[in-house]
Amino acid sequence: MSLADLGLHMVALLVYPGLATSILFGALAEAAFAFVRGPGGLGEVVAATLVRLRLAVTAAGAAELAAALLAVLASAQLAAPFNPVSPLERNLLVAAVALIAAAWLAWARGWRASGPALALVTQACWLVALVGPALVSQTLRPQALGAMAVPAQLPLKVGSAVLYLVCLPGVLQLLPDLTPGAGPEREAQAAGGRLLLWLPMCGLFASLFLPPASADVLGTVRFVAVCGAAAAAAIGLGAGLAGRAVPAGHYLRVAVPLAGLVLGAAAVTSVVS
Amino acid sequence: MITARAPVAQPVPSRTGIGLGVAGAVAVAAAVLAPWTGLGGQVGLTPPGRVMLAAMAVGLGLAAAVSPRRAGCWEALAAGLAALGAAAVLSALTDVLAVAAAVVLVGFAQATRPGRAALAAGLRGPAFGAALLGVGWTLARLPGAAGRTGALCLGLGLAAVAGLVPYLAVVHRDEPAGSPYLPWTAFFGPAVALSLPARFLAGLSLDEGTVLGATLVGLGLLNLAWGTIGAWRTGSDAEAWRCSFLADWGLVLVGLGLFRPDALAAAYLALLSLVLVRLPLALAARPVPEGEQARLAGPFGGLAVVLLAGAAPFSGFPVRLLLVQAATAVAWPLALPLVAGMLLWVAHAGRLARTLGPLQGRTAAGFWLVVACSLALGLLPGVLRAAAGL
């Protein structure tokens, strides 16, 4: 590795697809979530979101700083077009462990009594969606997993993708039991904790379950569109569950059996192939 | 450690506790079975790591047996499985950045347990260690001074993760078993120390490897001196126990830093001894009330002094023998501070043995099991080395 490589890594961490891109994507996603969930016009919602994020940033402590570092590290592992980090140096496990740690750290100040158990189960299901295809394909490189298109492995890949989307509202802390509560300060806390998680969480979906996007404008647009679609699915599911006051147990009744199915499919596919 | 840290006995663990226990069991199974999944090259335990994981399972059982504080059986099992799973993850990850992220995650889980320390205080050590490992690993792959700085950061990061000098956490005078340093210094630290240096070395040049070795040897001698003198001179029994861990770690770091087969074997045996012998005995210790004179507890006392002093035929003896041999082969002056530290070690063994107090029933049976483990480590080092491929 040379000093130029170090510079490229810094660009990946601080600009694209790291800090700056994550803040932009996260702010847009937070505004969309607030718009879907609550009353108010678009301009009003955007202004309120910006105020909430500013509040969250000014109140951030050491744990939030560590969470931000880990989230940015996870972003650098994405199979995004023009990612300056070499594809050989990206690792799914680094992204997964960093995101889980970041989610807990960001959430630490405001959890409810019932929250940790729900978060733990959701994260376990999310890990199944990540690791299932990796076990069968025997690789931990995100772009290699995305490029895998063996017919025998497609059912597993589709099942894992569905499970990933089902788990997204949980790992992004959009469910009512995983938010610190109502009130401007609490909402700012929740939005601040999620801000940097949106891009790596949605970007991993685009990296793992779709063929790698080409390094050109069209590829970039496609990658952003898939990330946006994953975020939209998470927002829709999260807002829907919150709006209908669906208990967390009902949510888990979908996620846990689906994770079991994916594990079973991974075992069968592994034996067959 | 796990049972002793629970402030109130709870017969049934919470749902989160059960979840963590199941997650721990899955993590252990995944780490052990990794070679058969096809991901063996990217995730998996090294042979010493496999032996250490088994030793940790035994160590947790011994700790639960000798600890005078009781916790619910199921709660202890869930917490033990969670801790074992975390150690398995730390040992099995091959990417240094993934290990650093996992250190933060485990540190967070540890810091949220009931105790006196605030979350930020409990998380500070592991987070700083993880940051040093991350920065070190990034810099270590660069040429020149940056690479050497990276190697230095890696050595310092290992010490920070294990909570050693110069990154000591606060020890509460009246609750030795509840101190925040114990999980990292006596449980997760050994898991990281046994697997991570081998991963570092694969990516370092000769120059950087030399800097890493020198850093580890320097930190080892510092911890040995701090530990032996501190355990002898300090006024607090809890601090004396912590210093005795530091002295053990001193031998471990010197062994890791010398990069010789005998020295690595000494480090490996010292870490096994730390998990199987010193950790359970530290949890069996209880604070002596102020103004009261501590006494050696019957037949246990004398045996505990010999065992803690590292005399033959117990676990400390082959460690010392192998380490002095290796140090003499590398540079004989290095053996002088090592031998001085080992001689000073005897001074605090009696003091630590006095804190064990009267042992009866379950705790006495646990003590004899610890003695048996120490004897096995002392008499069969060759078998244990062969099991780890060292």
Side-chain angles (χ1 to χ4, degrees), chain B residues 64-312:
Chain B
V66 299
S67 172
R69 305 154 191 88
R70 301 281 324 240
C73 176
W74 291 108
E75 196 214 2
L77 182 67
L81 280 174
L84 209 56
V89 168
L90 290 171
S91 302
L93 291 173
T94 54
D95 192 303
V96 178
L97 292 178
V99 175
V103 164
V104 177
L105 183 61
V106 176
F108 173 79
Q110 181 59 39
T112 53
R113 286 184 62 78
R116 290 182 176 191
L119 176 73
L123 189 58
R124 196 176 298 135
F128 188 58
L132 279 174
L133 288 179
V135 171
W137 184 238
T138 307
L139 292 179
R141 289 174 293 167
L142 295 172
R148 290 194 292 275
T149 309
L152 178 71
C153 286
L154 289 174
L156 292 171
L158 193 58
V161 167
L164 309 178
V165 177
Y167 311 102
L168 297 179
V170 176
V171 174
H172 300 299
R173 191 184 182 89
D174 55 343
E175 53 165 2
S179 298
Y181 80 89
L182 205 55
W184 284 99
T185 305
F187 199 78
F188 301 124
V192 176
L194 213 49
S195 57
L196 210 51
R199 321 263 196 228
F200 294 157
L201 283 176
L204 298 185
S205 66
L206 184 66
D207 204 13
E208 291 150 9
T210 309
V211 172
L212 176 64
T215 307
L216 291 175
V217 170
L219 285 171
L221 292 176
L222 180 65
N223 277 280
L224 182 65
W226 192 290
T228 47
I229 296 170
W232 171 35
R233 301 290 299 163
T234 182
S236 152
D237 290 333
E239 183 61 34
W241 270 104
R242 193 256 285 275
C243 286
S244 76
F245 278 105
L246 296 182
D248 263 345
W249 268 101
L251 300 183
V252 171
L253 292 178
V254 172
L256 290 174
L258 288 179
F259 301 136
R260 289 184 65 88
D262 278 356
L264 283 176
Y268 158 73
L269 290 172
L271 287 171
L272 285 180
S273 163
L274 201 135
V275 170
L276 285 169
V277 180
R278 195 168 295 279
L279 171 63
L281 290 183
L283 291 174
R286 57 200 84 198
V288 179
E290 232 170 286
E292 204 173 288
Q293 184 64 41
R295 291 180 187 167
L296 283 178
F300 302 112
L303 194 58
V305 173
V306 179
L307 193 151
L308 287 167

Side-chain angles (χ1 to χ4, degrees), chain B residues 320-345:
Chain B
R320 286 158 176 74
L321 205 61
L322 287 168
L323 204 56
V324 171
Q325 266 178 9
T328 314
V330 173
W332 69 264
L334 183 59
L336 295 179
L338 284 176
V339 172
M342 290 166 189
L343 290 174
L344 265 179
W345 202 294

Side-chain angles (χ1 to χ4, degrees), chain A residues 54-233:
Chain A
R54 195 168 57 84
L55 263 176
V57 170
T58 49
E64 285 79 4
L65 183 66
L69 273 173
L70 288 165
V72 164
L73 176 67
S75 292
Q77 311 300 316
L78 298 179
F82 302 112
N83 184 350
V85 175
S86 150
L88 292 176
E89 290 186 54
R90 299 177 205 153
N91 191 323
L92 176 63
L93 276 186
V94 173
V97 179
L99 279 176
I100 291 176
W104 283 103
L105 284 169
W107 188 49
R109 279 201 300 173
W111 63 25
R112 296 178 178 187
S114 61
L118 174 62
L120 199 64
V121 176
T122 316
Q123 283 181 350
C125 296
W126 178 76
L127 265 182
V128 168
L130 287 185
V131 174
L135 277 177
V136 174
S137 308
Q138 303 192 352
T139 177
L140 291 170
R141 310 270 168 242
Q143 65 286 346
L145 285 166
M148 201 67 72
V150 180
Q153 294 180 11
L154 278 182
L156 172 65
K157 204 166 177 179
V158 171
S160 299
V162 173
L163 176 62
Y164 193 101
L165 287 178
V166 168
C167 293
L168 259 188
V171 289
L172 279 168
Q173 297 151 18
L174 301 176
L175 301 177
D177 281 345
L178 293 175
T179 48
E185 201 183 317
R186 298 278 188 185
E187 282 177 8
Q189 210 176 330
R194 282 193 301 258
L195 179 69
L196 292 179
L197 293 178
W198 281 99
L199 181 63
M201 291 281 187
C202 299
L204 263 187
F205 177 82
S207 303
L208 299 181
F209 301 114
L210 292 170
S214 51
D216 52 27
V217 177
L218 208 64
T220 310
V221 170
R222 204 199 85 185
F223 183 80
V224 173
V226 176
C227 290

